[in-house]
Amino acid sequence: MKALESDSRLIVYVDIKSPYAFVALEPTFAMEQRLGFQFDWRPLTLDIPSYAGSARKEKGKVVESNRSPKKWLGIKYAYMDARRYAERQGYKLYGTEKIWDSSLANIGILWAARHDRDRLKEYFAAVYPLFWRRELDIEDVAVVRQCLTSAGIVTEGFNDFCKTEGRALHDQLQSQLHPSGIYGVPTYVFENEVLFGREHLPYVEWRLSGCIGAAPDISNVL
Amino acid sequence: MKSLVIYIDFKSAASYLAMEATLKLIQSEKIDVVWKPYQVRVQAIADKKEIETVTESHLRVRETQRQQTHLKYAAIQGKPMVFQREPQGSGAALIALAQLDCDPVEYIQAAFLAYWQDGLDLDDPAVVKAILRQCGVESSSISFDQKGNDILATQQIEAEEQGVFDTPMYVVGSDRFLGREQLPWMRALLANKL
């Protein structure tokens, strides 16, 4: 799998542990429906400590952190901002207590895309809202498998996939991301353009629907 | 009438590209606006090294992509935008903004153009005084010495106490919004449609 290449006209990179990817799902799926073709949804497992420092909370209080006060302002704002959009979409979004390893849940995206692409949206629906209500341990392969099952996707062989081919595919993709200009989620890739953030959806849709009229500026869909 | 506080920095590409849409919002919603300075940190993009840590690689890729994205939208907006290899400062221009007691919009627009079109150093009081003159603003009462630095530093601290960490940051009551992509939400909020 090449990071910038796909049979689809649009690649969408997401991470289960990203609040911004969570609130980007609905407007991105809405655009997928309007455009009338399937996007190529892929995982990007963020290495958050490498750019935002790390922290661990217990009972809502930070017990470990190497973040500067300014970094904290940015992170708290990001959660507050994602939360207001999530609530508008009818979801709860609680800050996480630790930085999760989302690779298993993200390998679930590869599995769902390969085995039952039509039910990928159901997989996201089974994972994202529960995870952001702190009701899902996405580091437990049995939990991820259960999410696939509840999405109506076959799971036979999923455990092995996580240890072998799925893990290899996932890791091989991650190593290509920075060299391809991809560093965060959601990222939209089309016609050799790489755009980070759902604020670009108006532009992406304008491009993919024939560039009719003036090009739109960035804007978050309400 | 609702009021809006907008924090900007002239060396922030996102602040520059937000100007037009922000002015449209101000006009359409008829709101009181206070423009405030907030100094952001802008660094030159590091050259790609043969061996990079993940952190170094992330920062380089992120800043490179951000520049390209800003240039794309500058072209869409029909605005000139030149990124200098080594970003110029904006301290003196922000010191002036912190002390202006007139409508600062014309000055803000001129200072943005001076930075993004002409590549001028807005850390130089002489450059800033020339911009103020061009806008017909009397600059003799504006202090660019230690007193001016102190005024800006105080406003910076007050901004951070309000949760400001980047620009353009819009504050409506207790709500903060970063970036012009938030204007649809702000428009709805200001029009009591949320």
Side-chain angles (χ1 to χ4, degrees):
Chain A
M1 191 182 279
K2 299 266 175 62
L4 300 178
E5 293 176 17
S6 173
D7 291 336
S8 174
R9 292 173 63 205
L10 181 68
I11 305 170
V12 185
Y13 283 94
V14 292
D15 185 353
I16 302 295
K17 70 172 176 295
S18 161
Y20 276 131
F22 179 31
V23 295
L25 282 186
E26 283 208 0
T28 307
F29 274 117
M31 185 175 82
E32 188 175 45
Q33 194 166 23
R34 285 194 300 275
L35 290 175
F37 66 90
Q38 286 191 329
F39 302 163
D40 184 351
W41 294 77
R42 296 179 181 179
L44 187 174
T45 301
L46 296 167
D47 180 355
I48 292 173
S50 74
Y51 61 89
S54 60
R56 191 170 62 83
K57 283 178 167 180
E58 275 177 16
K59 294 175 184 169
K61 288 196 173 168
V62 177
V63 292
E64 259 180 54
S65 169
N66 63 1
R67 290 171 173 160
S68 67
K70 204 164 180 179
K71 194 74 89 178
W72 269 115
L73 277 180
I75 287 164
K76 285 179 180 173
Y77 171 84
Y79 273 100
M80 178 276 293
D81 186 42
R83 185 176 301 119
R84 64 184 159 203
Y85 282 92
E87 285 174 355
R88 196 169 164 80
Q89 293 173 9
Y91 299 113
K92 294 276 184 208
L93 191 157
Y94 300 127
T96 53
E97 297 270 293
K98 66 169 188 174
I99 296 173
W100 290 80
D101 175 359
S102 52
S103 60
L104 278 177
N106 285 341
I107 290 170
I109 298 171
L110 294 171
W111 176 269
R114 174 182 289 191
H115 290 275
D116 202 344
R117 171 60 185 82
D118 289 343
R119 305 199 70 78
L120 181 59
K121 190 176 176 184
E122 282 74 10
Y123 174 65
F124 285 135
V127 180
Y128 267 109
L130 284 176
F131 175 69
W132 287 103
R133 291 204 308 261
R134 296 185 186 160
E135 293 172 13
L136 211 61
D137 178 358
I138 56 167
E139 292 175 354
D140 183 340
V141 69
V143 170
V144 176
R145 200 176 56 237
Q146 179 54 42
C147 290
L148 288 164
T149 301
S150 66
I153 298 168
V154 293
T155 57
E156 198 182 331
F158 178 67
N159 285 25
D160 281 344
F161 183 75
C162 286
K163 290 178 197 156
T164 55
E165 191 189 353
R167 173 60 66 183
L169 258 178
H170 168 274
D171 292 355
Q172 186 251 357
L173 191 54
Q174 307 306 302
S175 65
Q176 295 178 58
L177 297 176
H178 281 181
S180 303
I182 299 167
Y183 62 93
V185 292
T187 282
Y188 304 90
V189 179
F190 60 103
E191 296 169 16
N192 288 324
E193 283 213 54
V194 175
L195 290 170
F196 164 65
R198 73 191 190 284
E199 65 269 26
H200 301 293
L201 284 173
Y203 176 80
V204 174
E205 184 162 3
W206 177 80
R207 280 286 302 273
L208 293 177
S209 53
C211 304
I212 297 161
D217 199 5
I218 58 172
S219 179
N220 284 343
V221 178
L222 267 189
Chain B
M1 186 183 275
K2 287 198 172 171
S3 66
L4 172 64
V5 181
I6 308 172
Y7 291 88
I8 56 165
D9 187 347
F10 299 107
K11 64 180 178 292
S12 151
S15 295
Y16 170 54
L17 293 177
M19 270 308 281
E20 211 164 296
T22 303
L23 291 174
K24 274 186 193 161
L25 173 82
I26 292 165
Q27 275 185 340
S28 68
E29 299 306 320
K30 298 181 176 60
I31 42 180
D32 281 337
V33 179
V34 180
W35 298 85
K36 290 195 174 182
Y38 182 77
Q39 197 152 26
V40 297
R41 192 163 167 230
V42 178
Q43 287 178 299
I45 298 174
D47 290 328
K48 188 176 186 312
K49 293 194 284 190
E50 206 166 309
I51 298 171
E52 286 179 320
T53 64
V54 179
T55 303
E56 289 169 335
S57 166
H58 180 96
L59 289 177
R60 180 179 51 75
V61 171
R62 185 182 72 189
E63 293 312 310
T64 303
Q65 288 298 109
R66 279 182 178 170
Q67 262 196 19
Q68 288 175 9
T69 303
H70 288 315
L71 287 168
K72 170 199 300 297
Y73 285 99
I76 286 172
Q77 292 186 18
K79 287 188 139 185
M81 176 174 261
V82 178
F83 281 93
Q84 306 293 330
R85 180 75 183 85
E86 289 293 329
Q88 304 271 25
S90 60
L94 293 173
I95 284 171
L97 178 61
Q99 296 174 73
L100 282 183
D101 56 7
C102 58
D103 181 348
V105 169
E106 191 181 343
Y107 163 69
I108 290 170
Q109 289 176 307
F112 269 129
L113 269 186
Y115 189 94
W116 289 103
Q117 176 180 269
D118 306 326
L120 297 181
D121 181 6
L122 299 187
D123 223 0
D124 181 346
V127 170
V128 176
K129 283 176 186 171
I131 296 169
L132 288 164
R133 255 197 318 278
Q134 172 199 326
C135 299
V137 177
E138 172 53 49
S139 63
S140 60
S141 63
I142 296 173
S143 168
F144 289 97
D145 55 14
Q146 191 54 46
K147 185 182 160 200
N149 279 324
D150 290 346
I151 291 169
L152 180 61
T154 302
Q155 293 199 11
Q156 187 92 358
I157 291 166
E158 286 170 357
E160 286 176 0
E161 283 170 354
Q162 281 208 47
V164 177
F165 61 94
D166 200 356
T167 67
M169 181 73 86
Y170 306 84
V171 181
V172 185
S174 59
D175 292 312
R176 286 172 294 142
F177 301 90
L178 179 65
R180 69 189 188 281
E181 63 269 35
Q182 302 277 12
L183 291 177
W185 188 297
M186 288 169 49
R187 182 169 283 110
L189 180 68
L190 290 163
N192 295 316
K193 287 181 181 166
L194 279 178

mmCIF file with all atom_site columns, all heavy atoms in Angstrom, chain A residues 51-66:
data_model
loop_
_atom_site.group_PDB
_atom_site.id
_atom_site.type_symbol
_atom_site.label_atom_id
_atom_site.label_alt_id
_atom_site.label_comp_id
_atom_site.label_asym_id
_atom_site.label_entity_id
_atom_site.label_seq_id
_atom_site.pdbx_PDB_ins_code
_atom_site.Cartn_x
_atom_site.Cartn_y
_atom_site.Cartn_z
_atom_site.occupancy
_atom_site.B_iso_or_equiv
_atom_site.pdbx_formal_charge
_atom_site.auth_seq_id
_atom_site.auth_comp_id
_atom_site.auth_asym_id
_atom_site.auth_atom_id
_atom_site.pdbx_PDB_model_num
ATOM 1   N N   . TYR A 1 51 ? 5.227  14.989 19.285 1.00 0.00 ? 51 TYR A N   1
ATOM 2   C CA  . TYR A 1 51 ? 5.025  16.398 18.924 1.00 0.00 ? 51 TYR A CA  1
ATOM 3   C C   . TYR A 1 51 ? 4.203  17.179 19.945 1.00 0.00 ? 51 TYR A C   1
ATOM 4   O O   . TYR A 1 51 ? 4.210  18.411 19.916 1.00 0.00 ? 51 TYR A O   1
ATOM 5   C CB  . TYR A 1 51 ? 4.355  16.509 17.541 1.00 0.00 ? 51 TYR A CB  1
ATOM 6   C CG  . TYR A 1 51 ? 2.997  15.863 17.437 1.00 0.00 ? 51 TYR A CG  1
ATOM 7   C CD1 . TYR A 1 51 ? 1.835  16.555 17.735 1.00 0.00 ? 51 TYR A CD1 1
ATOM 8   C CD2 . TYR A 1 51 ? 2.875  14.537 17.049 1.00 0.00 ? 51 TYR A CD2 1
ATOM 9   C CE1 . TYR A 1 51 ? 0.599  15.957 17.643 1.00 0.00 ? 51 TYR A CE1 1
ATOM 10  C CE2 . TYR A 1 51 ? 1.647  13.923 16.954 1.00 0.00 ? 51 TYR A CE2 1
ATOM 11  C CZ  . TYR A 1 51 ? 0.508  14.634 17.253 1.00 0.00 ? 51 TYR A CZ  1
ATOM 12  O OH  . TYR A 1 51 ? -0.716 14.028 17.173 1.00 0.00 ? 51 TYR A OH  1
ATOM 13  N N   . ALA A 1 52 ? 3.532  16.499 20.829 1.00 0.00 ? 52 ALA A N   1
ATOM 14  C CA  . ALA A 1 52 ? 2.696  17.235 21.794 1.00 0.00 ? 52 ALA A CA  1
ATOM 15  C C   . ALA A 1 52 ? 3.043  16.893 23.235 1.00 0.00 ? 52 ALA A C   1
ATOM 16  O O   . ALA A 1 52 ? 2.322  17.272 24.155 1.00 0.00 ? 52 ALA A O   1
ATOM 17  C CB  . ALA A 1 52 ? 1.221  16.951 21.532 1.00 0.00 ? 52 ALA A CB  1
ATOM 18  N N   . GLY A 1 53 ? 4.140  16.189 23.444 1.00 0.00 ? 53 GLY A N   1
ATOM 19  C CA  . GLY A 1 53 ? 4.493  15.785 24.794 1.00 0.00 ? 53 GLY A CA  1
ATOM 20  C C   . GLY A 1 53 ? 3.537  14.711 25.300 1.00 0.00 ? 53 GLY A C   1
ATOM 21  O O   . GLY A 1 53 ? 2.616  14.295 24.598 1.00 0.00 ? 53 GLY A O   1
ATOM 22  N N   . SER A 1 54 ? 3.789  14.264 26.515 1.00 0.00 ? 54 SER A N   1
ATOM 23  C CA  . SER A 1 54 ? 2.930  13.197 27.035 1.00 0.00 ? 54 SER A CA  1
ATOM 24  C C   . SER A 1 54 ? 2.402  13.564 28.415 1.00 0.00 ? 54 SER A C   1
ATOM 25  O O   . SER A 1 54 ? 2.944  14.437 29.093 1.00 0.00 ? 54 SER A O   1
ATOM 26  C CB  . SER A 1 54 ? 3.702  11.876 27.100 1.00 0.00 ? 54 SER A CB  1
ATOM 27  O OG  . SER A 1 54 ? 4.804  12.022 27.956 1.00 0.00 ? 54 SER A OG  1
ATOM 28  N N   . ALA A 1 55 ? 1.337  12.891 28.784 1.00 0.00 ? 55 ALA A N   1
ATOM 29  C CA  . ALA A 1 55 ? 0.736  13.135 30.099 1.00 0.00 ? 55 ALA A CA  1
ATOM 30  C C   . ALA A 1 55 ? -0.114 11.938 30.476 1.00 0.00 ? 55 ALA A C   1
ATOM 31  O O   . ALA A 1 55 ? -0.572 11.190 29.604 1.00 0.00 ? 55 ALA A O   1
ATOM 32  C CB  . ALA A 1 55 ? -0.130 14.392 30.064 1.00 0.00 ? 55 ALA A CB  1
ATOM 33  N N   . ARG A 1 56 ? -0.293 11.748 31.746 1.00 0.00 ? 56 ARG A N   1
ATOM 34  C CA  . ARG A 1 56 ? -1.168 10.680 32.227 1.00 0.00 ? 56 ARG A CA  1
ATOM 35  C C   . ARG A 1 56 ? -2.038 11.253 33.354 1.00 0.00 ? 56 ARG A C   1
ATOM 36  O O   . ARG A 1 56 ? -1.566 12.016 34.183 1.00 0.00 ? 56 ARG A O   1
ATOM 37  C CB  . ARG A 1 56 ? -0.335 9.518  32.765 1.00 0.00 ? 56 ARG A CB  1
ATOM 38  C CG  . ARG A 1 56 ? -1.137 8.247  33.053 1.00 0.00 ? 56 ARG A CG  1
ATOM 39  C CD  . ARG A 1 56 ? -0.205 7.083  33.333 1.00 0.00 ? 56 ARG A CD  1
ATOM 40  N NE  . ARG A 1 56 ? 0.631  7.307  34.518 1.00 0.00 ? 56 ARG A NE  1
ATOM 41  C CZ  . ARG A 1 56 ? 0.234  7.089  35.770 1.00 0.00 ? 56 ARG A CZ  1
ATOM 42  N NH1 . ARG A 1 56 ? -0.989 6.670  36.026 1.00 0.00 ? 56 ARG A NH1 1
ATOM 43  N NH2 . ARG A 1 56 ? 1.057  7.300  36.786 1.00 0.00 ? 56 ARG A NH2 1
ATOM 44  N N   . LYS A 1 57 ? -3.325 10.884 33.283 1.00 0.00 ? 57 LYS A N   1
ATOM 45  C CA  . LYS A 1 57 ? -4.255 11.376 34.298 1.00 0.00 ? 57 LYS A CA  1
ATOM 46  C C   . LYS A 1 57 ? -4.746 10.217 35.150 1.00 0.00 ? 57 LYS A C   1
ATOM 47  O O   . LYS A 1 57 ? -4.811 9.080  34.690 1.00 0.00 ? 57 LYS A O   1
ATOM 48  C CB  . LYS A 1 57 ? -5.475 12.012 33.629 1.00 0.00 ? 57 LYS A CB  1
ATOM 49  C CG  . LYS A 1 57 ? -5.265 13.401 33.072 1.00 0.00 ? 57 LYS A CG  1
ATOM 50  C CD  . LYS A 1 57 ? -6.548 13.824 32.413 1.00 0.00 ? 57 LYS A CD  1
ATOM 51  C CE  . LYS A 1 57 ? -6.629 15.262 32.070 1.00 0.00 ? 57 LYS A CE  1
ATOM 52  N NZ  . LYS A 1 57 ? -7.901 15.594 31.434 1.00 0.00 ? 57 LYS A NZ  1
ATOM 53  N N   . GLU A 1 58 ? -5.094 10.534 36.369 1.00 0.00 ? 58 GLU A N   1
ATOM 54  C CA  . GLU A 1 58 ? -5.798 9.574  37.221 1.00 0.00 ? 58 GLU A CA  1
ATOM 55  C C   . GLU A 1 58 ? -6.951 10.311 37.867 1.00 0.00 ? 58 GLU A C   1
ATOM 56  O O   . GLU A 1 58 ? -6.743 11.379 38.461 1.00 0.00 ? 58 GLU A O   1
ATOM 57  C CB  . GLU A 1 58 ? -4.857 9.011  38.296 1.00 0.00 ? 58 GLU A CB  1
ATOM 58  C CG  . GLU A 1 58 ? -4.032 7.834  37.800 1.00 0.00 ? 58 GLU A CG  1
ATOM 59  C CD  . GLU A 1 58 ? -3.051 7.320  38.853 1.00 0.00 ? 58 GLU A CD  1
ATOM 60  O OE1 . GLU A 1 58 ? -3.205 7.662  40.039 1.00 0.00 ? 58 GLU A OE1 1
ATOM 61  O OE2 . GLU A 1 58 ? -2.127 6.593  38.446 1.00 0.00 ? 58 GLU A OE2 1
ATOM 62  N N   . LYS A 1 59 ? -8.133 9.776  37.722 1.00 0.00 ? 59 LYS A N   1
ATOM 63  C CA  . LYS A 1 59 ? -9.351 10.397 38.267 1.00 0.00 ? 59 LYS A CA  1
ATOM 64  C C   . LYS A 1 59 ? -9.439 11.876 37.870 1.00 0.00 ? 59 LYS A C   1
ATOM 65  O O   . LYS A 1 59 ? -9.720 12.749 38.709 1.00 0.00 ? 59 LYS A O   1
ATOM 66  C CB  . LYS A 1 59 ? -9.392 10.247 39.783 1.00 0.00 ? 59 LYS A CB  1
ATOM 67  C CG  . LYS A 1 59 ? -9.526 8.789  40.215 1.00 0.00 ? 59 LYS A CG  1
ATOM 68  C CD  . LYS A 1 59 ? -9.455 8.650  41.700 1.00 0.00 ? 59 LYS A CD  1
ATOM 69  C CE  . LYS A 1 59 ? -9.482 7.183  42.090 1.00 0.00 ? 59 LYS A CE  1
ATOM 70  N NZ  . LYS A 1 59 ? -9.170 6.939  43.474 1.00 0.00 ? 59 LYS A NZ  1
ATOM 71  N N   . GLY A 1 60 ? -9.139 12.160 36.608 1.00 0.00 ? 60 GLY A N   1
ATOM 72  C CA  . GLY A 1 60 ? -9.292 13.515 36.091 1.00 0.00 ? 60 GLY A CA  1
ATOM 73  C C   . GLY A 1 60 ? -8.142 14.452 36.410 1.00 0.00 ? 60 GLY A C   1
ATOM 74  O O   . GLY A 1 60 ? -8.113 15.582 35.943 1.00 0.00 ? 60 GLY A O   1
ATOM 75  N N   . LYS A 1 61 ? -7.167 13.985 37.206 1.00 0.00 ? 61 LYS A N   1
ATOM 76  C CA  . LYS A 1 61 ? -6.049 14.872 37.552 1.00 0.00 ? 61 LYS A CA  1
ATOM 77  C C   . LYS A 1 61 ? -4.776 14.395 36.860 1.00 0.00 ? 61 LYS A C   1
ATOM 78  O O   . LYS A 1 61 ? -4.502 13.187 36.814 1.00 0.00 ? 61 LYS A O   1
ATOM 79  C CB  . LYS A 1 61 ? -5.832 14.876 39.063 1.00 0.00 ? 61 LYS A CB  1
ATOM 80  C CG  . LYS A 1 61 ? -6.930 15.622 39.787 1.00 0.00 ? 61 LYS A CG  1
ATOM 81  C CD  . LYS A 1 61 ? -6.544 15.979 41.201 1.00 0.00 ? 61 LYS A CD  1
ATOM 82  C CE  . LYS A 1 61 ? -7.609 16.883 41.812 1.00 0.00 ? 61 LYS A CE  1
ATOM 83  N NZ  . LYS A 1 61 ? -7.478 17.051 43.230 1.00 0.00 ? 61 LYS A NZ  1
ATOM 84  N N   . VAL A 1 62 ? -3.996 15.359 36.378 1.00 0.00 ? 62 VAL A N   1
ATOM 85  C CA  . VAL A 1 62 ? -2.746 15.021 35.709 1.00 0.00 ? 62 VAL A CA  1
ATOM 86  C C   . VAL A 1 62 ? -1.737 14.566 36.757 1.00 0.00 ? 62 VAL A C   1
ATOM 87  O O   . VAL A 1 62 ? -1.436 15.292 37.701 1.00 0.00 ? 62 VAL A O   1
ATOM 88  C CB  . VAL A 1 62 ? -2.192 16.244 34.927 1.00 0.00 ? 62 VAL A CB  1
ATOM 89  C CG1 . VAL A 1 62 ? -0.850 15.905 34.304 1.00 0.00 ? 62 VAL A CG1 1
ATOM 90  C CG2 . VAL A 1 62 ? -3.185 16.693 33.871 1.00 0.00 ? 62 VAL A CG2 1
ATOM 91  N N   . VAL A 1 63 ? -1.240 13.337 36.605 1.00 0.00 ? 63 VAL A N   1
ATOM 92  C CA  . VAL A 1 63 ? -0.265 12.834 37.572 1.00 0.00 ? 63 VAL A CA  1
ATOM 93  C C   . VAL A 1 63 ? 1.139  12.741 36.970 1.00 0.00 ? 63 VAL A C   1
ATOM 94  O O   . VAL A 1 63 ? 2.111  12.560 37.694 1.00 0.00 ? 63 VAL A O   1
ATOM 95  C CB  . VAL A 1 63 ? -0.694 11.455 38.136 1.00 0.00 ? 63 VAL A CB  1
ATOM 96  C CG1 . VAL A 1 63 ? -1.936 11.587 39.005 1.00 0.00 ? 63 VAL A CG1 1
ATOM 97  C CG2 . VAL A 1 63 ? -0.922 10.442 37.018 1.00 0.00 ? 63 VAL A CG2 1
ATOM 98  N N   . GLU A 1 64 ? 1.215  12.878 35.657 1.00 0.00 ? 64 GLU A N   1
ATOM 99  C CA  . GLU A 1 64 ? 2.520  12.853 34.977 1.00 0.00 ? 64 GLU A CA  1
ATOM 100 C C   . GLU A 1 64 ? 2.407  13.708 33.729 1.00 0.00 ? 64 GLU A C   1
ATOM 101 O O   . GLU A 1 64 ? 1.425  13.601 32.995 1.00 0.00 ? 64 GLU A O   1
ATOM 102 C CB  . GLU A 1 64 ? 2.796  11.425 34.476 1.00 0.00 ? 64 GLU A CB  1
ATOM 103 C CG  . GLU A 1 64 ? 3.737  10.591 35.305 1.00 0.00 ? 64 GLU A CG  1
ATOM 104 C CD  . GLU A 1 64 ? 3.891  9.220  34.659 1.00 0.00 ? 64 GLU A CD  1
ATOM 105 O OE1 . GLU A 1 64 ? 4.228  9.151  33.466 1.00 0.00 ? 64 GLU A OE1 1
ATOM 106 O OE2 . GLU A 1 64 ? 3.622  8.249  35.370 1.00 0.00 ? 64 GLU A OE2 1
ATOM 107 N N   . SER A 1 65 ? 3.402  14.555 33.467 1.00 0.00 ? 65 SER A N   1
ATOM 108 C CA  . SER A 1 65 ? 3.351  15.362 32.248 1.00 0.00 ? 65 SER A CA  1
ATOM 109 C C   . SER A 1 65 ? 4.707  15.975 31.943 1.00 0.00 ? 65 SER A C   1
ATOM 110 O O   . SER A 1 65 ? 5.438  16.354 32.853 1.00 0.00 ? 65 SER A O   1
ATOM 111 C CB  . SER A 1 65 ? 2.324  16.491 32.416 1.00 0.00 ? 65 SER A CB  1
ATOM 112 O OG  . SER A 1 65 ? 2.443  17.420 31.367 1.00 0.00 ? 65 SER A OG  1
ATOM 113 N N   . ASN A 1 66 ? 5.049  16.061 30.665 1.00 0.00 ? 66 ASN A N   1
ATOM 114 C CA  . ASN A 1 66 ? 6.248  16.810 30.276 1.00 0.00 ? 66 ASN A CA  1
ATOM 115 C C   . ASN A 1 66 ? 5.867  17.940 29.315 1.00 0.00 ? 66 ASN A C   1
ATOM 116 O O   . ASN A 1 66 ? 6.663  18.352 28.487 1.00 0.00 ? 66 ASN A O   1
ATOM 117 C CB  . ASN A 1 66 ? 7.292  15.884 29.641 1.00 0.00 ? 66 ASN A CB  1
ATOM 118 C CG  . ASN A 1 66 ? 6.786  15.248 28.358 1.00 0.00 ? 66 ASN A CG  1
ATOM 119 O OD1 . ASN A 1 66 ? 5.660  15.504 27.930 1.00 0.00 ? 66 ASN A OD1 1
ATOM 120 N ND2 . ASN A 1 66 ? 7.611  14.441 27.717 1.00 0.00 ? 66 ASN A ND2 1
#
